[in-house]
Amino acid sequence: MGAGPAGLAAAAEFVRFGTPCTILDDQKRPGGQYFRQLSPEIQSTEQNPRLLDVCGHRLVEFRCETTVWDFPAPRTLAWVSGTGNGRLNTRTLILATGAYDRPAPFQGWTLPGVISAGGMVNLYKSQRVVAGSRVVVAGNGPLLLTAAQCLFQAGVEVLALVEAAPFATQVIPQFPGLMTQPGLLGKGMSYRYGLWRRSVPVLEQQVVTRARGDHWIENIEVRPLDDKGKICRERRVEFDVDALVTGYGLMPSLELTRLAGCRHSFHSLGDTWVPERSTDLETSVPGVYVVGDGAGVAGYQNAMVEGRIAALAILNREEPSSRVSAALKVAIRQRCRRQRFSQALSNCYRTPLDYSALVTPDTVICRCENVLFSEIRPMLTDKGSVPSLARVKSETRAGMGRCGGRNCIPSLVRLLSSATGQSSETIALPRTRPPARPIRIGDLFSEALPDPDLPADPHSPRGVKDR
Amino acid sequence: MSLRVKNDVARGEPFVIEIDGEPIQAYPGETVAAILIVNRIALVRTVAAHPITRGYYCGMGVCWECAVRINGRSIVRACMEPAVKNLQVETCLNVGDL
């Protein structure tokens, strides 16, 4: 599931060893986010990466624009597409569902013209369109450099790159780890050089605290962070912009691993739950594997190796052979190297920022239902009852919109943690229920559904460890 | 500057789509969301009688912030919808609209 770098790399291994497979993806074309292709109607000399050709191989059935919305049984998935719907029983299942931009609410982040770093890169890659002509790129992490690079190629004036981490001081001790992937290191350095050559100010250990505008973004305010991560109220700079590209790292998409009943554990550096996996990348549900950024964000190179590991492990289990097991061993070793790199990269971008300090009473927390922090705060500080996400959700509708809580639950966890002093991993997530994505009821009318299989306690999130 | 980048790419013949009754130029291969951004068209929603404006945010079908009505069909994510000739787009949805 998922035709990004991880899913396609897995399919390529199946093809290499003559085993048929099916790929499902909810987008029109394969590639996922990293290998997102320019629309075929727009002419360019750019070549598509060869990995995409695997979708056209005779052993591969590629089903695009297909949304998976539930796992009615451990390896059975329920899908909907533009032309129909149904169930797919699988022998083994590889989930390669990827990641999305982590929400980090601040005042004015819902204004048109404020777009996510991933959204900016996609817009450029797929349509050669940019969000503005005077742009600030702000947030935390390496994706900001990629977004800035797209803007440079488009000839856009980048007024500043605002990075919440003290990158320049943190990068030096990480060099040994970064050197394990010289290609990626070189790419990163060339992007940094591009900023320097164009005299773009790189404002490190600073954050955008406010975006303002009438109907479209017009102005932003940037403030420095002290070493404890507190926002300095005395100093600030303003920029007049017509777009703000903002990204604070990526979040793995966990809806499907949670619906599949996989066991998860908390990953503190990534500040998120991730599915537990064996060295073969199999989850706690036999026959269900998770690979790529959907299992913990580590970049496309790691994702491709993980896809290959899962495919080779499955092949080796079905029909053990020395050729397959040798390839598997090599891939597992490669993954260690890739992980060392992504670990080092995450260390470079560690930030002291306290995200809850960015939130003001009139900051929108849940974009879908337009729920402001002032509506949520009383529930976080109420001494008379135990604060919980379930209560916030049922009283304010935060997390009940079309995005399925993906754009507010991570923020709510941080706000609740900061208000109560609880660590994020002790905060129970609201249960993930089908459908994992909004689907039309009409699409399901032709399907005879059996009774749903619900746990005894409807409040316990499926797939998250009981405590 | 135009927000449509011209370096190294060639677009096909432009055509017209209708956004809230206004004719707007579009190029083959573009999504409705891209056309909204290029023309600085904000999506206005009503929450408890107050208008709020939103626009393209995640660009990959996660956030649903670019939801619009297309040829009377709602709700459609503008970032996933390719523009075709004479498409009719309505940008004003209410929070909770279906």
Side-chain angles (χ1 to χ4, degrees), chain B residues 70-98:
Chain B
I70 286 181
N71 292 345
R73 179 168 52 99
S74 58
I75 285 183
V76 178
R77 284 167 288 186
C79 72
M80 309 266 279
E81 190 72 15
V84 292
K85 206 176 162 187
N86 297 330
L87 202 72
Q88 289 185 338
V89 181
E90 291 167 71
T91 62
C92 297
L93 298 178
N94 293 322
V95 168
D97 243 4
L98 283 175

Side-chain angles (χ1 to χ4, degrees), chain A residues 79-313:
Chain A
W79 58 271
V80 171
S81 76
T83 51
N85 66 79
R87 303 284 162 100
L88 186 68
N89 296 314
T90 66
R91 191 178 164 94
T92 42
L93 181 62
I94 301 179
L95 300 175
T97 46
Y100 65 98
D101 284 272
R102 176 167 208 140
F106 58 92
Q107 199 179 7
W109 76 308
T110 53
L111 269 176
V114 180
I115 76 170
S116 73
M120 175 60 243
V121 174
N122 282 353
L123 199 58
Y124 180 79
K125 280 185 185 170
S126 64
Q127 295 161 75
R128 292 291 189 277
V129 166
V130 287
S133 52
R134 289 171 59 78
V135 183
V136 167
V137 180
N140 175 232
L143 192 57
L144 299 185
L145 289 178
T146 313
Q149 188 64 22
C150 292
L151 293 167
F152 291 149
Q153 282 169 4
V156 170
E157 188 182 356
V158 178
L159 302 177
L161 187 129
V162 183
E163 167 58 62
F167 176 86
T169 52
Q170 287 181 165
V171 69
I172 296 152
Q174 301 303 330
F175 256 94
L178 296 175
M179 286 298 283
T180 56
Q181 294 248 73
L184 284 179
L185 176 63
K187 202 167 170 184
M189 281 165 66
S190 79
Y191 287 180
R192 294 281 297 194
Y193 172 71
L195 290 166
W196 178 79
R197 193 166 58 84
R198 291 175 179 85
S199 310
V200 175
V202 178
L203 310 177
E204 289 188 353
Q205 215 173 322
Q206 306 206 26
V207 283
V208 172
T209 48
R210 191 204 62 208
R212 244 188 348 208
D214 197 11
H215 286 288
W216 204 274
I217 185 170
E218 289 163 20
N219 174 276
I220 60 163
E221 176 192 87
V222 176
R223 289 180 190 269
L225 295 169
D226 69 15
D227 290 334
K228 292 197 179 67
K230 289 274 169 278
I231 296 164
C232 298
R233 291 291 157 199
E234 303 79 42
R235 285 164 54 206
R236 58 171 198 160
V237 272
E238 290 192 23
F239 291 94
D240 289 329
V241 297
D242 60 0
L244 170 67
V245 175
T246 174
Y248 284 89
L250 302 174
M251 277 292 286
S253 296
L254 297 176
E255 307 76 42
L256 291 175
T257 48
R258 293 182 71 203
L259 276 175
C262 304
R263 200 161 57 227
H264 291 67
S265 55
F266 197 78
H267 182 249
S268 338
L269 186 61
D271 196 14
T272 176
W273 293 89
V274 291
E276 290 178 11
R277 298 182 292 171
S278 68
T279 46
D280 286 348
L281 310 180
E282 189 172 15
T283 63
S284 61
V285 180
V288 177
Y289 293 71
V290 192
V291 293
D293 281 358
V297 175
Y300 81 101
Q301 295 239 1
N302 177 72
M304 293 204 293
V305 176
E306 289 196 358
R308 290 177 45 219
I309 290 173
L312 291 165

